[in-house]
Amino acid sequence: MTAAPDTAIRSSVPLFATRPAIEPLIGRIAERQRAVLDSGRYILGPEVEQFESEFAAYIGRRHCVGVANGTDAITIALRSLGIGEPRDEVIVPGVSFFATAEAVVNAGARPVFADIDPATHCMTAETVAPHLSPWTKAIVPVHLFGNPAPVDEITALAIERGIPVVEDAAQAAGALLGERRAGALGEAATFSFYPGKNLGAVGDAGAIVTDDDRIAATARSLRAHGGGGRPWRHEHVGYNSRLDEIQAAALRVLLPELDGWIEARRAAARAYEGAGIGELARIQTETPGGSSAYHLYVVVAEDRDRLCDHLAACGIESRPYYTTTLDRQPALKRYRGNRRLAASERLAGHGLALPMGQCLTVEDAERVVGAIRTAR
């Protein structure tokens, strides 16, 4: 590998190029949060109610249920569908953040791992089909790195068997499939507002969205210890998982900015392509009819670790992502199947996240691609 170019003396290109866009909003966030502190309403108050209404309208759903984080969102969504018996199976992709499968186990079910499409990095109907069984109770496609999974084709496979589809949209706020937003595609969908997400709070936060009144009502009960309509009466063994007023206040300031930020991320992706990144590494292909939110920009590189080191020497942050497939996680070994997940393993072994964010400039993208060229 050749020596790092002169760009190493210049300022670094951060992996998450987002901070300059958020800084002008910090004063407004602090003002709204101060109002929460002055009000004395810290749990399930007006800020949560307003955010739930605003986010449901943004996604195009009737209900939004704010919860403490994205992991709980998946667990509670599955339990709201009646899932949780020991033989219940939930199909998830081989590559995702650990929480996707962890939440299935927390709900009392068994994760079953399907491979991904090597181009889109998403689970498809073709990869799901071999794993369907009489015990399949849900399918959880993940919109990986912000790219919407082909939920319509997965739903077509599932609906004839009466299997619900629950989107893991943790990375995909603002993504589109056709004219519909990610989160408006399955029977229910879950979101994370972890600070690193495209729509991030100032701490942990999450949400479940759905059009189903029963799912929404059960989720609202489960997030608050399974409480019912009468004081001190509990219909379910639930969770202490409520979106708090402080986080909702911040999210209400940030939500109106999301579409502009997503368009800036898409422009950054186009800048990478214009600079020739596709000549140097395999890029993630958007799902047909889909428009990615580009939470991350992950390429597949043959010599990933050496490339990562080279970029660091050039002042460019990058990071291998999800380097162990879910079926190979030590905590999930009891659920490991016999099928090899070849595309998942390749992404885990060669995927490298490059700088991405609404503040990434054309010049930044060109610098990153130029550095990659010198590493060849």
Side-chain angles (χ1 to χ4, degrees):
M1 183 167 291
T2 58
D6 292 340
T7 51
I9 63 174
R10 296 166 54 189
S11 61
S12 66
V13 181
L15 182 60
F16 298 104
T18 60
R19 183 66 182 181
I22 295 170
E23 285 179 347
L25 303 170
I26 290 176
R28 290 172 52 198
I29 292 171
E31 180 180 359
R32 181 160 287 181
Q33 291 179 329
R34 178 67 197 206
V36 170
L37 294 175
D38 290 341
S39 76
R41 287 285 303 276
Y42 304 143
I43 300 293
L44 297 183
E47 292 291 338
V48 170
E49 292 174 3
Q50 287 297 311
F51 173 73
E52 288 177 334
S53 177
E54 291 160 5
F55 192 67
Y58 175 83
I59 296 298
R61 289 293 209 182
R62 294 181 55 234
H63 302 286
C64 170
V65 182
V67 295
N69 55 69
T71 310
D72 285 357
I74 302 171
T75 301
I76 291 172
L78 293 174
R79 286 204 50 204
S80 297
L81 287 162
I83 294 166
E85 296 299 321
R87 297 187 73 181
D88 289 352
E89 295 179 351
V90 177
I91 300 175
V92 300
V95 176
S96 181
F97 181 54
F98 182 71
T100 303
E102 179 184 35
V104 174
V105 176
N106 287 343
R110 298 177 56 86
V112 174
F113 305 103
D115 208 358
I116 58 171
D117 176 74
T120 66
H121 301 164
C122 292
M123 197 164 66
T124 68
E126 183 178 0
T127 66
V128 166
H131 301 278
L132 293 169
S133 81
W135 300 282
T136 303
K137 301 302 180 183
I139 302 171
V140 180
V142 176
H143 305 314
L144 197 65
F145 309 139
N147 186 35
V151 175
D152 289 342
E153 67 176 57
I154 293 172
T155 299
L157 180 70
I159 197 168
E160 62 191 40
R161 297 168 173 82
I163 300 170
V165 174
V166 178
E167 304 165 63
D168 179 346
Q171 301 181 2
L176 295 167
L177 188 64
E179 299 299 318
R180 294 173 295 161
R181 296 191 187 276
L185 307 171
E187 190 155 350
T190 64
F191 287 87
S192 167
F193 304 121
Y194 180 79
K197 296 296 192 290
N198 292 9
L199 178 63
V202 294
D204 278 316
I208 302 157
V209 295
T210 184
D211 287 332
D212 189 297
D213 295 345
R214 180 186 58 81
I215 292 173
T218 305
R220 291 186 190 282
S221 173
L222 286 170
R223 74 175 176 183
H225 302 285
R230 293 164 55 187
W232 313 115
R233 183 178 179 87
H234 300 266
E235 304 294 339
H236 312 276
V237 175
Y239 309 88
N240 182 10
S241 183
R242 297 165 294 205
L243 175 63
D244 67 57
E245 288 285 283
I246 288 289
Q247 301 303 334
L251 290 166
R252 291 190 65 204
V253 173
L254 298 174
L255 179 58
E257 309 294 328
L258 180 58
D259 281 344
W261 289 344
I262 297 302
E263 185 49 48
R265 287 172 176 269
R266 290 171 181 153
R270 292 192 296 269
Y272 271 128
E273 294 172 17
I277 187 66
E279 303 165 8
L280 307 171
R282 176 183 286 182
I283 63 175
Q284 183 180 24
T285 302
E286 288 181 293
T287 296
S291 184
S292 178
Y294 288 104
H295 170 58
L296 296 171
Y297 194 87
V298 176
V299 300
V300 175
E302 292 302 322
D303 200 351
R304 174 185 65 190
D305 294 338
R306 291 183 65 196
L307 177 58
C308 185
D309 291 342
H310 177 76
L311 291 174
C314 295
I316 296 166
E317 292 184 358
S318 64
R319 185 184 302 170
Y321 252 79
Y322 307 148
T323 56
T324 301
T325 57
L326 290 178
D327 65 313
R328 295 296 169 182
Q329 290 288 355
L332 301 174
K333 62 183 179 181
R334 63 180 293 193
Y335 306 109
R336 190 175 299 164
N338 296 322
R339 297 175 183 270
R340 185 183 174 194
L341 308 179
S344 299
E345 291 173 6
R346 178 159 178 77
L347 180 59
H350 297 278
L352 183 67
L354 301 179
M356 173 50 70
Q358 58 266 37
C359 301
L360 191 80
T361 66
V362 172
E363 292 74 21
D364 290 333
E366 291 174 346
R367 180 180 166 191
V368 173
V369 175
I372 294 173
R373 287 188 189 280
T374 68
R376 293 177 64 81

